[in-house]
Amino acid sequence: EAQRPQIESALKAYREAAQICEEQGLTRTATYGRVKVLTAITLGQLARLAPSASADGRALPERAKAIHDSLREASAAKEAFLAADLRVSDEFANLLKVVGINHRELRAFRDARAFFEEARETFLQSESQGQGLWYCDLMTQMGVLEEAELGRRGLPRALQLYETAVAGLERVNLQHLPQYAEAKRRCGEAERALGGGGSRG
């Protein structure tokens, strides 16, 4: 919650940048796509700050609206990336990951899994070939999906994915990033829940 002012400030800046692109007729460019992806990610962050349900268990409209707004921004990003011929790129794969996260947050698990798998295949075909920050974060997000959808049954697969993320980030010396701390934390939690020993135990 302490991050809300920075997130809202970033959202305002991204929307202003998108407006400039629109005024200059740049909506079919990679630049516009990047701005829209950043807007989608920021709206997703705001959504996750909101409680997932009220005291009586009903979903809160504020959270659902932020997620749907994020999906709308991602859709605009997709159109721009396709127009800029970036379908097989890390940026397009990262966009698919963002859409998958939104579907997971809406508990549309089948859709989330489909977008994550498409993102994974795209990463493997694109410039990073499944290396680096965005791909490793995808592994973490896929692990979170396993836990969200399957509960305890999803833990062994989730742990494998978290371990893949940790190892991948260590391989490219990105241990200083929050994505590494997140993957490491989830790894530890999954190991404890499984009684230690890692995914191979």
Side-chain angles (χ1 to χ4, degrees):
E1 189 61 38
Q3 292 178 310
R4 184 181 286 273
Q6 297 100 297
I7 294 172
E8 288 177 342
S9 175
L11 182 59
K12 183 172 181 285
Y14 296 144
R15 283 183 161 153
E16 287 171 358
Q19 187 177 348
I20 291 168
C21 288
E22 288 159 7
E23 289 168 355
Q24 295 183 359
L26 300 174
T27 57
R28 294 173 61 80
T29 65
T31 300
Y32 185 70
R34 290 177 192 120
V35 170
K36 286 296 192 180
V37 170
L38 289 167
T39 309
I41 290 170
T42 309
L43 282 163
Q45 290 172 332
L46 275 181
R48 287 188 287 281
L49 284 179
S52 57
S54 57
D56 59 4
R58 288 181 302 180
L60 290 178
E62 176 198 349
R63 186 169 183 274
K65 181 183 183 303
I67 295 171
H68 284 294
D69 286 349
S70 178
L71 283 168
R72 191 177 64 247
E73 297 292 332
S75 180
K78 181 179 181 181
E79 293 302 314
F81 282 156
L82 291 176
D85 199 24
L86 286 174
R87 180 185 287 277
V88 183
S89 68
D90 285 349
E91 289 183 297
F92 194 74
N94 197 49
L95 165 64
L96 294 170
K97 181 193 77 179
V98 170
V99 176
I101 291 170
N102 280 325
H103 282 292
R104 186 190 67 206
E105 295 298 306
L106 291 170
R107 302 190 70 77
F109 296 133
R110 183 179 297 179
D111 290 337
R113 195 173 291 277
F115 277 106
F116 284 157
E117 285 297 333
E118 189 181 349
R120 189 175 67 86
E121 289 301 315
T122 305
F123 274 126
L124 293 174
Q125 293 170 31
S126 64
E127 54 267 33
S128 70
Q129 296 187 315
Q131 306 289 319
L133 173 62
W134 287 351
Y135 180 79
C136 291
D137 185 56
L138 172 64
M139 296 296 103
T140 301
Q141 299 302 331
M142 290 176 80
V144 175
L145 173 62
E146 294 292 332
E147 290 196 62
E149 183 176 15
L150 301 173
R152 185 172 176 79
R153 285 188 300 120
L155 276 171
R157 175 67 178 145
L159 179 54
Q160 285 182 343
L161 288 160
Y162 299 147
E163 288 175 339
T164 300
V166 168
L169 290 168
E170 287 174 349
R171 194 160 50 242
V172 290
N173 295 314
L174 293 177
Q175 295 96 317
H176 58 288
L177 293 178
Q179 288 89 342
Y180 178 79
E182 172 79 354
K184 196 82 172 166
R185 177 181 68 80
R186 290 189 178 277
C187 224
E189 289 176 356
E191 281 182 352
R192 282 194 298 276
L194 288 167
S199 62
R200 293 166 299 281

